[in-house]
């Protein structure tokens, strides 16, 4: 299993649940990598969802064994794409045409869920009405509070900003508007005094 | 002290009967000053000095929320009610001085909505009158579906259709016209918020249909003021104030507490706002919970009561007040 129990933190930090079937005529499911497992389990809970389900799956690589399994649960549509960014135009178009009652299920890494959540809330769905389930990597999407650049897949703390090169401390302070955690310069008081990088949650 | 219990002295400056059941009242400040602005959906609690009794009834404000010169309310006569609306219809005349509360909004528009879908039944139209004025002023997108008995009793139906031809849809029960709710809800774009105000049956129907169609709770808003119901008299003891008295057949528990001279909190007097929540120390009898506020397990626990609408069927209730 690809689950991880995040320790309790500040209120800003998103918390994730377990996907559960909901009522509604249309179901949009977005997942990356091991997030597929959560969708397979969801289909196991209520197979009747699938003929009304549109899955957007970010597979990462073409050999991904989950693709076949997702096909087997027979969703109305299955889109498999190489990256989240490649799926965004399709996602936006779907949300633009969608009606109230659409259920949104997000599963996988925090970066994927956060960005897809931002699209769904911008389209008008209250964030509390969107279900999420974390699976797979605990890497984060971080924003540098100094240069505002985003660094994807941050897995160590501190890390180096991929835009301005500052050494940033990984905070649990999260921005739903930007869909990223906030990284703050770790050696501002004492330049050069950078603690050794530790793998997140290790 | 909460906003809703701050009072304003007003004078009745206009009374307009609209049809057999509904009359509109206009209030201006007695001291000639400006009234506070409010937001669409707000209500005021009107104090009525009816002989020895003080009646306090909530009414939705229906005037333009940005108009500080006057407030208007529309009162539907309820011949079977406890007398507040009859008092307004029969005893109030132009020039009377009255006391009303600051506006309180328990039915506000969610301004994050991309579209506001409103469903009104009968006199439930009043909060929407103010909300529509607010939305027109701010270029908000709305659509109103208004069900009433017939043309004659369709309070403001003509005004609304004339002003907003493409946005207002009126249905007459007597002509067997009904809102095609499932289709209506099904076709709403993402980001629509739903608002319903009307009789209990309508509110339940709209909420249930929305839920079945997968609408999130956060996007469904409703307002129903419950009028307190009469019931068998019972005794109440206020532990802190050290008082014991009886709640009459046609009195609410809150009214009895006020009549005993105790200043108890309230905002809506209709079981909706939560302000009057009171701890129960002991009850000899069954609490008849009628509010929309307490959770089911709180109701079952017997440790809480909303005195504005709920009462005891039994001998005595002891409150932490
Ligand atoms: S006064 Fe609002 S619930 Fe009792």
């Amino acid at each position: 299993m690809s689950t991880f129990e995040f320790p309790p933190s500040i209120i800003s930090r998103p918390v994730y649940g377990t996907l559960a079937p909901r009522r509604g005529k249309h179901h949009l499911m977005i997942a990356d990598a091991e997030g597929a497992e959560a969708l397979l389990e969801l289909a196991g809970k209520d197979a009747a969802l699938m003929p009304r389900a549109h899955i957007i799956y970010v597979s990462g690589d073409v050999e991904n064994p989950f693709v076949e399994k997702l096909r087997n649960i027979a969703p109305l549509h299955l889109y498999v794409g190489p990256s989240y960014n490649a799926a965004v135009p399709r996602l936006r178009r779907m949300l633009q045409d969608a009606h109230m009652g659409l259920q949104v299920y997000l599963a996988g890494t925090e970066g994927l869920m956060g960005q897809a959540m931002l699209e769904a809330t911008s389209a008008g769905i209250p964030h509390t009405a969107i279900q999420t389930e974390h699976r797979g990597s605990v890497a984060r999407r971080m924003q540098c509070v100094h240069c505002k650049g985003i660094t994807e897949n941050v897995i160590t703390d501190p890390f180096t900003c991929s835009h301005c090169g500052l050494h940033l401390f990984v905070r649990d302070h999260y921005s739903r508007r930007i869909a990223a955690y906030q990284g703050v310069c770790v050696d501002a008081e004492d330049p050069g005094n950078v603690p050794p990088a530790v793998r997140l949650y290790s | 002290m909460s906003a809703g219990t701050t009072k304003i002295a007003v004078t009745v400056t206009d009374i307009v009967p609209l049809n057999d059941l509904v009359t509109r009242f206009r209030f201006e400040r007695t001291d000639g000053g400006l009234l506070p602005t409010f937001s669409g959906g707000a209500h005021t609690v009107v104090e009525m000095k009816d002989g020895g009794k003080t009646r306090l009834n909530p009414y939705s404000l229906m005037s333009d929320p940005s108009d500080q010169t006057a407030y208007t309310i529309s009162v539907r006569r309820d011949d079977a009610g406890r007398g507040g609306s009859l008092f307004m219809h029969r005893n109030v005349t132009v020039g009377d001085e009255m006391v009303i509360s600051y506006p309180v909004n328990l039915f506000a528009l969610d301004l994050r909505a991309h579209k506001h879908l409103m469903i009104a039944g009968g006199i439930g139209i009043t909060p929407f009158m103010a909300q529509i004025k607010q939305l027109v002023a701010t270029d908000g997108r709305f659509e109103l579906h208004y069900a009433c008995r017939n043309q004659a009793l369709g309070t403001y139906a003509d005004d609304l259709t004339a002003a907003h031809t493409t946005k207002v849809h009126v249905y007459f029960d007597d002509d067997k016209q009904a809102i095609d709710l499932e289709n209506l809800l099904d076709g709403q774009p993402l980001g629509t918020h739903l608002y319903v105000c009307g009789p209990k049956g309508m509110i339940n129907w709209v909420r249930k249909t929305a839920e079945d169609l997968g609408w999130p709770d956060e996007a469904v808003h409703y307002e129903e003021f419950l009028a307190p119901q009469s019931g068998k008299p019972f005794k109440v003891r206020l532990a802190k104030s050290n008082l014991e008295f009886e709640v009459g057949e046609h009195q609410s528990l809150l009214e009895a507490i006020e009549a005993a001279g105790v200043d108890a909190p309230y905002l809506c007097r209709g079981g909706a706002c939560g302000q009057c929540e009171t701890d129960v120390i002991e009850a000899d009898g069954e609490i008849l919970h009628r509010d929309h506020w307490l959770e089911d397990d709180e109701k079952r626990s017997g440790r809480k009561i909303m005195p504005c609408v709920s009462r005891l069927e039994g001998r005595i209730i002891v409150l932490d007040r």
Side-chain angles (χ1 to χ4, degrees):
Chain A
M1 278 273 273
S2 52
T3 54
F4 179 78
E5 191 81 35
F6 292 105
S9 180
I10 55 171
I11 198 153
S12 165
R13 193 207 195 296
V15 289
Y16 306 103
T18 305
L19 300 184
R22 286 208 181 144
R23 278 182 266 202
K25 297 188 179 175
H26 303 283
H27 302 263
L28 172 59
M29 303 171 183
I30 306 168
D32 68 352
E34 284 101 337
E37 287 176 355
L39 298 190
L40 296 172
E41 282 170 27
L42 179 65
K45 287 176 199 160
D46 184 2
L49 289 185
M50 301 322 291
R52 292 169 283 155
H54 193 127
I55 297 180
I56 292 181
Y57 182 56
V58 176
S59 63
D61 80 72
V62 275
E63 301 291 297
N64 188 326
F66 287 121
V67 174
E68 199 45 43
K69 291 185 181 163
L70 288 174
R71 208 163 272 134
N72 288 339
I73 56 174
L76 179 62
H77 294 288
L78 171 65
Y79 163 87
V80 180
S83 69
Y84 173 74
N85 283 339
V88 167
R90 164 176 295 257
L91 173 58
R92 287 200 180 143
R93 182 59 209 235
M94 286 192 57
L95 290 168
Q96 196 187 330
D97 294 344
H99 289 174
M100 286 302 283
L102 173 76
Q103 300 295 354
V104 177
Y105 308 79
L106 309 177
T109 61
E110 292 199 76
L112 172 104
M113 290 192 287
Q115 291 176 91
M117 169 85 78
L118 177 57
E119 294 296 333
T121 52
S122 313
I125 305 179
H127 73 94
T128 41
I130 297 168
Q131 294 194 71
T132 54
E133 180 167 343
H134 176 266
R135 294 286 178 130
S137 168
V138 296
R140 296 186 182 191
R141 184 174 139 88
M142 300 291 309
Q143 184 191 41
C144 171
V145 305
H146 311 282
C147 79
K148 310 297 176 199
I150 301 272
T151 306
E152 302 279 355
N153 273 319
V154 171
I155 192 67
T156 64
D157 178 23
F159 71 103
T160 308
C161 174
S162 58
H163 301 256
C164 69
L166 281 179
H167 298 285
L168 303 177
F169 157 52
V170 172
R171 297 192 60 225
D172 275 352
H173 177 186
Y174 184 76
S175 163
R176 276 204 300 268
R177 186 175 58 86
I178 299 162
Y181 287 95
Q182 308 292 287
V184 180
C185 184
V186 79
D187 58 342
E189 304 287 325
D190 186 5
N193 183 4
V194 179
V198 185
R199 207 176 154 82
L200 290 179
Y201 299 110
S202 65
Chain B
M1 203 192 301
S2 50
T5 48
T6 308
K7 312 285 185 199
I8 311 172
V10 293
T11 303
V12 179
T13 55
D14 197 19
I15 298 179
V16 183
L18 298 164
N19 53 42
D20 278 355
L21 291 176
V22 181
T23 297
R24 183 171 67 219
F25 298 83
R26 178 184 163 92
F27 301 121
E28 289 175 45
R29 272 184 92 115
T30 306
D31 64 11
L34 292 178
L35 291 157
T37 52
F38 60 96
S39 49
H43 70 266
T44 180
V45 174
V46 178
E47 277 188 32
M48 306 167 205
K49 297 268 181 249
D50 187 1
K53 248 191 229 150
T54 303
R55 300 179 183 280
L56 295 165
N57 279 19
Y59 293 104
S60 295
L61 294 168
M62 52 158 293
S63 40
D64 184 338
S66 64
D67 179 1
Q68 293 184 261
T69 60
Y71 287 165
T72 56
I73 61 169
S74 292
V75 180
R76 182 187 189 279
R77 199 183 73 226
D78 181 358
D79 295 319
R82 296 183 324 137
S85 67
L86 283 175
F87 177 86
M88 291 299 291
H89 277 252
R90 290 184 186 150
N91 300 43
V92 174
T93 52
V94 170
D96 282 5
E97 291 188 7
M98 297 184 84
V99 172
I100 63 174
S101 73
Y102 261 55
V104 168
N105 201 343
L106 301 172
F107 190 53
L109 294 169
D110 188 324
L111 297 176
R112 292 168 298 185
H114 298 181
K115 175 182 172 183
H116 304 273
L117 177 66
M118 303 163 170
I119 300 188
I123 195 65
I125 190 65
T126 51
F128 295 124
M129 300 293 290
Q131 288 184 340
I132 288 173
K133 287 175 190 125
Q134 178 180 338
L135 287 171
V136 166
T138 53
D139 235 348
R141 184 168 164 208
F142 73 92
E143 189 177 308
L144 168 74
H145 295 261
Y146 175 22
C148 37
R149 208 174 309 159
N150 51 43
Q151 181 101 40
L153 290 174
T155 317
Y156 303 117
D158 293 346
D159 301 352
L160 285 165
T161 11
H164 314 284
T165 322
T166 57
K167 294 177 178 154
V168 171
H169 307 263
V170 180
Y171 306 78
F172 297 124
D173 299 347
D174 286 355
D175 298 343
K176 304 248 172 317
Q177 297 169 340
I179 302 173
D180 180 3
L181 189 61
E182 184 164 341
N183 265 325
L184 177 65
L185 295 187
D186 228 6
Q188 297 303 320
L190 279 192
T192 305
H193 278 240
L194 175 63
Y195 305 82
V196 52
C197 184
K200 192 181 188 65
M202 173 184 245
I203 294 177
N204 293 345
W205 172 57
V206 173
R207 291 179 64 203
K208 170 83 170 57
T209 311
E211 191 186 329
D212 288 346
L213 289 170
W215 281 60
D217 277 355
E218 297 87 337
V220 180
H221 313 267
Y222 61 97
E223 175 155 82
E224 181 199 4
F225 286 135
L226 302 163
Q229 285 175 28
S230 306
K232 296 198 192 92
F234 58 97
K235 277 215 176 71
V236 56
R237 223 170 87 71
L238 303 185
K240 282 197 200 124
S241 322
N242 197 20
L243 288 170
E244 189 172 314
F245 47 90
E246 188 165 281
V247 181
E249 192 180 341
H250 299 297
Q251 210 178 16
S252 72
L253 175 52
L254 177 62
E255 287 165 350
I257 294 172
E258 289 167 340
V262 175
D263 190 14
Y266 70 85
L267 279 183
C268 71
R269 305 183 80 88
C273 73
Q275 193 74 17
C276 68
E277 185 177 311
T278 306
D279 289 332
V280 175
I281 297 173
E282 225 183 293
D284 177 5
E286 193 199 340
I287 301 176
L288 304 177
H289 293 285
R290 293 203 172 110
D291 59 278
H292 292 311
W293 176 258
L294 296 174
E295 302 291 343
D296 287 345
D297 54 331
E298 289 176 309
K299 288 184 180 170
R300 274 191 301 272
S301 79
R303 314 228 48 104
K304 303 237 177 242
I305 190 168
M306 309 305 288
C308 62
V309 288
S310 301
R311 57 195 297 131
L312 183 81
E313 190 163 85
R315 203 177 64 81
I316 183 166
I317 188 166
V318 184
L319 301 179
D320 185 21
R321 171 73 63 209

